Amino acid sequence: MERPGAPLKETDLARTGTTVGDVPVLMIGARSAERRGLVILLPPLGGTKDQFEPELRRLAAAGLIGVAIDPRRHGERADRPAGALFDEVMAHFRQVMWPLLGGTVLDAMAVIDWVAARFEVPGPVLAGGVSMGGDAALALAGIDPRVSRVAAIAATADWTRPGMTRIGRPQETIDQGAATPSGQWLRDQLEPMSHPDRYRRHLEIRCDVGGTDSHVPPEAMGRFARLLADGSPRPSIQVIEHPGLDHAEICSSPQILDESLDWLAAGSDSGSD
């Protein structure tokens, strides 16, 4: 995350923990006029805003306001242990995941509204996330035109995840079950694959996918990229496949996370890579 001049010192950064409505928020940003944009990071299933504190500090030192939120039913608003929620999602995927995912997309948009209303944000709005958080970041860009750059890891534009298997058990296909009416509505309204026209604007997307990830199959992002290439204007989208990496491996790779966020932060300089 290089930029002209020296990075801001730790003493120039302000750490704030707050809530926006019922959304727990961690915000780390420059105290001074060094701000040049806003970035929101969204955690994976079972994750929390706090896991991104080191990344928020790096982004803030580069002059960005860094924000992370707890997804619905996670972190400070968890209604059960993370492991139990994970098991619930795997047992009733569409019934549980679609409301979690769709609700988190709407929460992220509301938090951007809150930050923009209270702090000077002279530059672009950037979004990043891992797995479920990457799904949410992609969907956020489809409904919020302020978002100009998205970096997603192990994410998909297709919420139905055709052929999805259990993590670490590629031979075991998950029975996704049926969605609730509210979950189906959220998917119908927010899923990127269902609304490609929303992405036909000045928008840059990077998605790192695992070549052997059968939990979030990488083919969907390739399909989405081809869909966006058929029309005008065309956003910039790159799908970077990492051969041999499964879902757990790509989600836990510090190198891939660093490279993804470096690319994301570079967009706050000139709006292009």
Side-chain angles (χ1 to χ4, degrees):
M1 297 174 193
E2 297 180 356
R3 65 188 295 265
L8 299 177
K9 298 178 181 179
E10 186 70 19
T11 53
D12 294 325
L13 305 181
R15 182 189 189 279
T16 302
T18 188
T19 57
V20 175
D22 64 347
V23 184
V25 176
L26 173 61
M27 182 169 62
I28 301 176
R31 297 178 186 274
S32 67
E34 294 291 328
R35 296 188 189 122
R36 58 192 179 91
L38 165 66
V39 58
I40 186 165
L41 300 183
L42 303 171
L45 178 66
T48 71
K49 64 186 185 311
D50 300 302
Q51 75 182 72
F52 282 133
E53 181 161 351
E55 287 73 31
L56 293 179
R57 290 192 176 279
R58 288 177 56 210
L59 293 162
L64 294 163
I65 299 176
V67 176
I69 70 173
D70 282 336
R72 294 198 178 182
R73 300 184 64 191
H74 287 67
E76 293 179 30
R77 52 180 174 167
D79 56 4
R80 60 192 314 181
L85 176 61
F86 182 88
D87 291 342
E88 182 184 350
V89 170
M90 293 305 108
H92 309 282
F93 185 79
R94 296 185 182 183
Q95 176 182 330
V96 183
M97 174 60 93
W98 288 1
L100 283 177
L101 175 53
T104 299
V105 174
L106 299 179
D107 289 346
M109 192 175 188
V111 168
I112 293 172
D113 289 342
W114 184 89
V115 175
R118 287 160 178 78
F119 301 91
E120 183 180 354
V121 183
V125 176
L126 316 172
V130 178
S131 194
M132 182 186 77
D135 296 353
L138 285 169
L140 175 65
I143 62 169
D144 192 334
R146 294 170 294 187
V147 177
S148 62
R149 184 172 266 218
V150 177
I153 297 173
T156 183
D158 184 346
W159 291 12
T160 68
R161 297 190 188 183
M164 178 177 67
T165 68
R166 294 192 180 276
I167 297 175
R169 289 183 273 175
Q171 73 286 351
E172 188 175 341
T173 302
I174 291 177
D175 180 356
Q176 298 187 27
T180 61
S182 61
Q184 185 66 53
W185 185 90
L186 287 164
R187 184 242 170 170
D188 292 344
Q189 299 301 314
L190 302 176
E191 182 195 58
M193 196 73 77
S194 300
H195 301 282
D197 288 347
R198 294 177 179 172
Y199 296 82
R200 301 195 191 285
R201 56 182 173 84
H202 176 68
L203 176 63
E204 295 171 299
I205 299 171
R206 167 180 168 143
C207 191
D208 289 82
V209 298
T212 60
D213 185 350
S214 57
H215 181 67
V216 182
E219 67 81 23
M221 283 309 302
R223 183 160 33 100
F224 188 55
R226 292 189 295 273
L227 189 61
L228 294 183
D230 184 17
S232 181
R234 295 180 184 178
S236 170
I237 179 169
Q238 52 180 312
V239 180
I240 301 172
E241 183 171 322
H242 299 269
L245 294 189
D246 64 17
H247 189 73
E249 291 168 332
I250 191 169
C251 288
S252 62
S253 169
Q255 179 180 350
I256 292 173
L257 179 60
D258 285 348
E259 291 174 354
S260 178
L261 295 184
D262 283 347
W263 176 88
L264 186 63
S268 62
D269 286 322
S270 62
S272 61
D273 193 16

